[in-house]
Amino acid sequence: MASPLSLCLSLHSNPKHLTSKFTPRLPSLFRSTATFPNPIPKTAITASKNSTTPATDRIISAAAYTLPFFNSLQYGRYLFMQFPNLGLLFEPILPLLSLYRSVPFASFVAFFAFYLGVVRNPSLSQYVRFNTMQALALDVLLVVPSLLTRILNPGRAGIGFKLMIWGHNAIFVFTCFCFVYGFVSSLLGKTPYLPFIADAAGRQV
């Protein structure tokens, strides 16, 4: 019979005996099978950042946003009456606005010129077509409040008249925000996405 000392020496000299008998093996369920995708090359990121928009596309896109802005000035008359100093911000564009209003049916002519000459022109880039369609969609929406005012006829006093003033002020402020955002983004070569309008414009181009 082997002594306890010889048994300990034999186990120490052959550790596989302990491993095979006492070390449990993990089932295949718990083994790591995760795979990691290859990192995105830096060249792809650099190429997207270095892509530039042509100057002509920027100018046409920025010019398209002036159409809804000019047509929205009628909704700002109550703000101009309440805050006369607000009109000083728009004095630089008065000559251009006077020229725009001196042309008969200038709004319809500009609308169809942008729509037929830019949006429906497949030779132009997707960038300029999307921006132009987005500006035209905003211009179409500006017709709805005017039609509602004529149909409902809120009058010149009462709660209906106050609601009309608040609505016109909100429309004018929102359109000014869209104009500044779209105009500046277009000049910088970036794509502006106007709230409630970008999805509808994207489906048309």
Side-chain angles (χ1 to χ4, degrees):
M1 182 176 181
S3 64
L5 179 59
S6 60
L7 180 62
C8 291
L9 291 175
S10 63
L11 292 177
H12 179 72
S13 60
N14 190 14
K16 294 183 179 180
H17 178 72
L18 291 175
T19 303
S20 61
K21 192 172 183 179
F22 298 100
T23 304
R25 298 184 63 185
L26 291 176
S28 60
L29 179 63
F30 297 98
R31 295 178 185 176
S32 176
T33 59
T35 59
F36 299 93
N38 295 329
I40 300 175
K42 295 182 178 180
T43 55
I45 302 175
T46 306
S48 62
K49 289 183 178 180
N50 292 336
S51 59
T52 58
T53 305
T56 54
D57 291 355
R58 299 186 188 188
I59 295 175
I60 296 175
S61 300
Y65 288 103
T66 60
L67 179 62
F69 173 68
F70 284 165
N71 293 333
S72 69
L73 292 176
Q74 59 176 329
Y75 295 108
R77 61 181 180 271
Y78 298 108
L79 277 178
F80 294 142
M81 293 172 58
Q82 187 176 0
F83 305 99
N85 294 331
L86 186 62
L88 299 177
L89 298 176
F90 299 89
E91 284 188 357
I93 65 171
L94 287 181
L96 184 60
L97 182 61
S98 300
L99 178 62
Y100 172 76
R101 292 184 174 180
S102 64
V103 179
F105 306 102
S107 179
F108 293 99
V109 173
F111 181 90
F112 285 105
F114 278 119
Y115 184 76
L116 298 177
V118 179
V119 177
R120 292 305 178 186
N121 190 348
S123 63
L124 296 178
S125 65
Q126 183 78 7
Y127 175 83
V128 66
R129 293 171 61 197
F130 171 76
N131 279 287
T132 304
M133 188 63 227
Q134 191 170 224
L136 295 182
L138 177 60
D139 188 63
V140 171
L141 291 179
L142 291 176
V143 181
V144 177
S146 179
L147 292 177
L148 291 178
T149 302
R150 294 180 181 180
I151 294 173
L152 299 178
N153 191 14
R156 293 291 178 179
I159 186 63
F161 182 68
K162 291 183 179 180
L163 290 176
M164 183 193 68
I165 293 178
W166 294 339
H168 284 196
N169 293 342
I171 293 170
F172 177 68
V173 172
F174 175 75
T175 309
C176 287
F177 164 76
C178 293
F179 166 70
V180 174
Y181 173 51
F183 189 85
V184 174
S185 298
S186 298
L187 290 181
L188 296 177
K190 300 180 180 180
T191 304
Y193 294 96
L194 302 182
F196 315 111
I197 300 174
D199 293 338
R203 290 191 292 265
Q204 298 299 322
V205 295

